[in-house]
Amino acid sequence: MKIDAHQHFWEYDPIEYDWITSEMSVIAKSFLPKDLDSILEDHGIDGSVAVQARECLAETDFLLELAKENPKILGVVGWIKLFDQNLESNLVKYSQTTDLKGFREVLQAKDSSFFLCEGFKKGLKIILNKGYRYDILIFEHQLDSIQELVKSSPEKPMVIDHLAKPKIKSGEWKEWKKKMARLADREYLFCKISGMVTEANWPKWSQEQLSPYMDIALELFGPDRLMFGSDWPVCTLAGTYEKVYGIVEEFSNQLSKDEKEAIFGGTAKSFYKIDNK
């Protein structure tokens, strides 16, 4: 099974999606499954994992409704407030659906005190012990704090989104590699090869500029803990789906058939516990 492990849907509203700035006007419109289905088919992709783009329970419900109606949505990574006295009851609400695979918050916009507080740690422990996955969305400068969070969490599968957003635009990678290596030592942590083009110079990035980061991710995590994600439609700020797919396709040509299949679906299928719909 070939899987895009990271993409988004939304019905655009400037207030609900206030993170879409004026320079991002190309994505200031609605993106729904009907807009993605043919793109997936063109690339031989069986389906995708839809990831939250708003921080509210309505976002989780929205994505689950889309998943119910669209067989190409193989799983949902929703949002839930981890340090909330209603966490357990909210989880009961979602316990009857198999489409909900995990949760994510926009930690990249938060101070470390937000996710290192005891309430957050307790909530993370609850969802992980219930079998949900957690997507870690951060910038490179937050890696030390995430290391601290991970050390205090159950040894359950979590995934680092977008390679922790290294400084691709400036071509820096040495400090990022050191910090990522400490996380990669934990075999229950995974990484998505996604979000690279939007961390580069949008109109001027190249395969050569991105290759070192993919090489390092492969060295640290291995193909069985890496997964391709397009980050569509956000990726269209800097390139088409075809170009973003092509980056990882060209990179993976150095690998064996089994290793390539892991990155393009096998890892995601196992990590998110995806069954054929």
Side-chain angles (χ1 to χ4, degrees), residues 45-64:
I45 297 174
D46 297 293
S48 65
V49 176
V51 180
Q52 63 84 219
R54 293 180 297 166
E55 294 193 294
C56 56
L57 288 176
E59 174 76 344
T60 307
D61 296 340
F62 167 69
L63 294 176
L64 288 173

Side-chain angles (χ1 to χ4, degrees), residues 76-78 80 82 100-104 124 127-136 155-159 188 190 192 227 267-274:
V76 166
V77 174
I80 203 164
L82 293 184
L100 184 59
K101 306 301 183 180
F103 297 99
R104 185 181 84 157
L124 182 59
I127 64 165
L128 290 174
N129 283 336
K130 286 185 179 294
Y132 290 109
R133 303 318 194 203
Y134 192 72
D135 272 53
I136 301 170
E155 295 187 358
K156 305 284 187 180
M158 292 181 275
V159 61
Y188 53 92
F190 293 68
K192 290 183 181 178
M227 55 188 94
T267 301
K269 187 175 189 295
S270 173
F271 177 83
Y272 285 118
K273 297 180 286 188
I274 291 171

Side-chain angles (χ1 to χ4, degrees), residues 107-157:
L107 300 186
Q108 66 178 30
K110 311 284 198 300
D111 185 80
S112 61
S113 60
F114 175 88
F115 54 82
L116 292 179
C117 72
E118 290 307 312
F120 187 95
K121 291 178 182 178
K122 180 181 177 182
L124 182 59
K125 181 178 180 180
I126 289 171
I127 64 165
L128 290 174
N129 283 336
K130 286 185 179 294
Y132 290 109
R133 303 318 194 203
Y134 192 72
D135 272 53
I136 301 170
L137 175 62
I138 55 168
F139 287 114
E140 175 186 335
H141 72 267
Q142 296 169 298
L143 279 167
D144 287 335
S145 298
I146 286 298
Q147 173 77 6
E148 187 177 339
L149 174 66
V150 166
K151 284 197 300 187
S152 65
S153 302
E155 295 187 358
K156 305 284 187 180

Side-chain angles (χ1 to χ4, degrees), residues 3 7 30 39 50 74 79 86 145 156 207 217 224 244 263:
I3 299 170
Q7 53 82 207
S30 296
I39 297 173
L74 303 176
W79 179 92
N86 297 318
S145 298
K156 305 284 187 180
Q207 182 83 25
D224 290 335
V244 170
I263 291 174

Side-chain angles (χ1 to χ4, degrees), residues 10-261:
W10 57 72
E11 292 180 332
Y12 180 66
D13 177 278
I15 296 174
E16 290 287 320
Y17 298 92
D18 58 356
W19 56 269
I20 299 178
T21 62
S22 58
E23 66 176 353
M24 302 164 75
S25 59
V26 69
I27 61 170
K29 61 181 182 178
S30 296
F31 291 89
L32 294 167
K34 63 182 176 61
D35 304 306
L36 181 63
D37 283 355
S38 62
I39 297 173
L40 295 179
E41 289 171 6
D42 288 345
H43 293 83
I45 297 174
D46 297 293
S48 65
V49 176
V51 180
Q52 63 84 219
R54 293 180 297 166
E55 294 193 294
C56 56
L57 288 176
E59 174 76 344
T60 307
D61 296 340
F62 167 69
L63 294 176
L64 288 173
E65 280 300 311
L66 290 182
K68 191 186 301 183
E69 301 164 1
N70 296 274
K72 285 190 181 296
I73 301 177
L74 303 176
V76 166
V77 174
W79 179 92
I80 203 164
K81 188 174 181 179
L82 293 184
F83 56 96
D84 187 341
Q85 62 181 3
N86 297 318
L87 175 61
E88 296 270 17
S89 59
N90 284 332
L91 289 173
V92 169
K93 169 187 171 183
Y94 295 120
S95 62
Q96 299 306 308
T97 177
T98 59
D99 287 326
L100 184 59
K101 306 301 183 180
F103 297 99
R104 185 181 84 157
E105 293 192 53
V106 186
L107 300 186
Q108 66 178 30
K110 311 284 198 300
D111 185 80
S112 61
S113 60
F114 175 88
F115 54 82
L116 292 179
C117 72
E118 290 307 312
F120 187 95
K121 291 178 182 178
K122 180 181 177 182
L124 182 59
K125 181 178 180 180
I126 289 171
I127 64 165
L128 290 174
N129 283 336
K130 286 185 179 294
Y132 290 109
R133 303 318 194 203
Y134 192 72
D135 272 53
I136 301 170
L137 175 62
I138 55 168
F139 287 114
E140 175 186 335
H141 72 267
Q142 296 169 298
L143 279 167
D144 287 335
S145 298
I146 286 298
Q147 173 77 6
E148 187 177 339
L149 174 66
V150 166
K151 284 197 300 187
S152 65
S153 302
E155 295 187 358
K156 305 284 187 180
M158 292 181 275
V159 61
I160 302 163
D161 287 352
H162 311 328
L163 291 86
K165 295 196 168 184
K167 299 173 183 176
I168 297 175
K169 197 171 186 178
S170 61
E172 299 174 49
W173 56 263
K174 290 184 179 178
E175 285 302 312
W176 167 77
K177 180 180 180 180
K178 288 179 185 177
K179 294 176 181 181
M180 286 289 278
R182 292 198 286 270
L183 290 173
D185 282 344
R186 299 174 183 272
E187 294 186 354
Y188 53 92
L189 293 184
F190 293 68
C191 185
K192 290 183 181 178
I193 305 179
S194 59
M196 291 181 293
V197 296
T198 46
E199 295 308 305
N201 185 308
W202 292 358
K204 295 181 179 179
W205 60 267
S206 67
Q207 182 83 25
E208 292 71 28
Q209 184 184 22
L210 304 179
S211 291
Y213 301 92
M214 293 186 283
D215 287 336
I216 290 166
L218 179 64
E219 174 191 341
L220 297 179
F221 289 89
D224 290 335
R225 290 195 287 147
L226 291 178
M227 55 188 94
F228 160 74
S230 67
D231 199 27
W232 181 92
V234 180
C235 69
T236 61
L237 294 168
T240 62
Y241 193 106
E242 182 178 7
K243 287 182 178 179
V244 170
Y245 177 88
I247 294 164
V248 185
E249 172 75 13
E250 183 173 331
F251 161 74
S252 66
N253 284 337
Q254 66 182 295
L255 305 177
S256 70
K257 179 176 180 288
D258 288 347
E259 290 171 332
K260 189 171 182 176
E261 287 178 351

